[in-house]
Amino acid sequence: MKRTLNIIALRTIRHSERHDILTAYSREAGRVAFAIPAGSGREASRRRALLMPLGLLECVADMKPGREIHTMRDPRALRPLHGLRMHPVKSAVAMFIAEVLAVILREGPADEGMFDYVARSVVALDVMEGAGVANFHICFMVGLSRVLGIEPDTADYQEGMVFDMAGGHFRLTPPLHSHYLDAARSRMVVELLRMNLTNLHLYKMNRMQRNEMLDTILEYFSLHYTALSSLRSLDVVRDLF
């Protein structure tokens, strides 16, 4: 069955001398995989540019029942992403986000809200300038927790509370387990949850603070969704920011 799909490219790996495998997330069918011709000519170069991590595309997919890997034709960019392609720091951030999504979006039905959130974020990163880029991966993860339905509950927060990461809420006294943050770090989490794509440039953090917040977010995701401790691109964003 042929379907027109809007997709976000996540990663491409070599499968054989003739084919690569593209993993992507589509608005219409959720996670999908495609066999892509390998090669070194002009057409192959154009295709690699289209299918870079977080590339936004439309294609016609031939999706046959019972098959996990499909074929595509007529891929075209939904939006040219010159910033992601030309800016090495943005490209590194895109690789990190794409790897996170490749782990998180493993299965389940299509989620238009998820697709739209990621697509908006990709466009924002592509055109972003200045200090906001350094905070983008943290901002994206905060928003992703909201889309996944695991955002911490700050409704009852008061100054001096600690954050119970396993429970996903704030409390007056530490829990019996070790997965909690002290009062100072808990306050930082509350502030962090107010970050969005329009105000992320206002958050002033040094490298140590930024990496501490990233570690906290990854631990929280591991407790509530899936483990993200083995990301290959993690050290890259740590060193960059």
Side-chain angles (χ1 to χ4, degrees):
M1 179 178 67
K2 290 181 172 57
R3 299 181 64 181
T4 299
L5 300 181
N6 294 289
I7 67 172
I8 300 168
L10 299 180
R11 64 185 177 196
T12 302
I13 61 173
R14 178 54 58 92
H15 178 65
S16 67
E17 292 185 0
R18 297 180 58 189
H19 290 98
D20 297 332
I21 301 297
L22 166 70
T23 300
Y25 189 74
S26 72
R27 196 171 196 270
E28 297 81 7
R31 185 177 175 122
V32 288
F34 298 100
I36 306 295
S40 57
R42 177 179 294 182
E43 179 60 25
S45 296
R46 185 189 76 86
R47 187 164 50 245
R48 280 194 295 272
L50 282 175
L51 302 179
M52 66 181 179
L54 300 188
L56 302 174
L57 298 93
E58 179 186 79
C59 69
V60 176
D62 187 2
M63 307 181 71
K64 296 182 179 179
R67 289 194 178 180
E68 294 183 358
I69 300 176
H70 313 291
T71 58
M72 70 158 69
R73 61 179 176 84
D74 302 331
R76 68 174 188 88
L78 289 171
R79 178 189 174 99
L81 300 173
H82 301 300
L84 265 61
R85 189 169 67 250
M86 304 301 294
H87 195 300
V89 173
K90 290 183 181 182
S91 295
V93 174
M95 288 182 64
F96 171 76
I97 292 172
E99 188 177 6
V100 167
L101 293 173
V103 173
I104 285 178
L105 303 177
R106 287 190 182 278
E107 55 188 39
D111 184 337
E112 294 183 359
M114 174 64 74
F115 181 94
D116 292 345
Y117 169 70
V118 177
R120 285 196 305 271
S121 300
V122 171
V123 172
L125 176 60
D126 184 61
V127 301
M128 188 171 292
E129 297 179 357
V133 175
N135 290 335
F136 187 89
H137 58 303
I138 293 177
C139 180
F140 178 84
M141 296 297 290
V142 169
L144 185 61
S145 74
R146 194 169 297 129
V147 178
L148 291 172
I150 61 171
E151 181 185 20
D153 182 7
T154 62
D156 297 325
Y157 174 76
Q158 301 175 30
E159 188 72 29
M161 281 184 163
V162 299
F163 179 46
D164 179 346
M165 290 210 292
H169 58 264
F170 295 84
R171 48 185 295 159
L172 292 170
T173 58
L176 297 178
H177 57 76
S178 61
H179 298 291
Y180 72 93
L181 304 180
D182 61 26
R185 293 175 67 196
S186 296
R187 179 174 177 77
M188 289 183 66
V189 168
V190 174
E191 294 297 325
L192 196 68
L193 290 169
R194 297 176 180 141
M195 182 186 287
N196 57 52
L197 292 173
T198 61
N199 68 12
L200 79 171
H201 63 285
L202 299 175
Y203 284 73
K204 309 300 181 185
M205 291 183 280
N206 59 35
R207 177 174 295 184
M208 184 176 70
Q209 291 169 327
R210 196 173 282 113
N211 284 334
E212 183 180 359
M213 284 296 98
L214 180 58
D215 288 342
T216 298
I217 291 169
L218 294 177
E219 182 180 356
Y220 184 76
F221 269 75
S222 296
L223 288 168
H224 290 272
Y225 206 83
T226 190
L228 294 172
S229 57
S230 61
L231 300 174
R232 291 177 294 177
S233 56
L234 181 57
D235 287 341
V236 176
V237 293
R238 286 191 202 281
D239 291 342
L240 279 175
F241 308 117

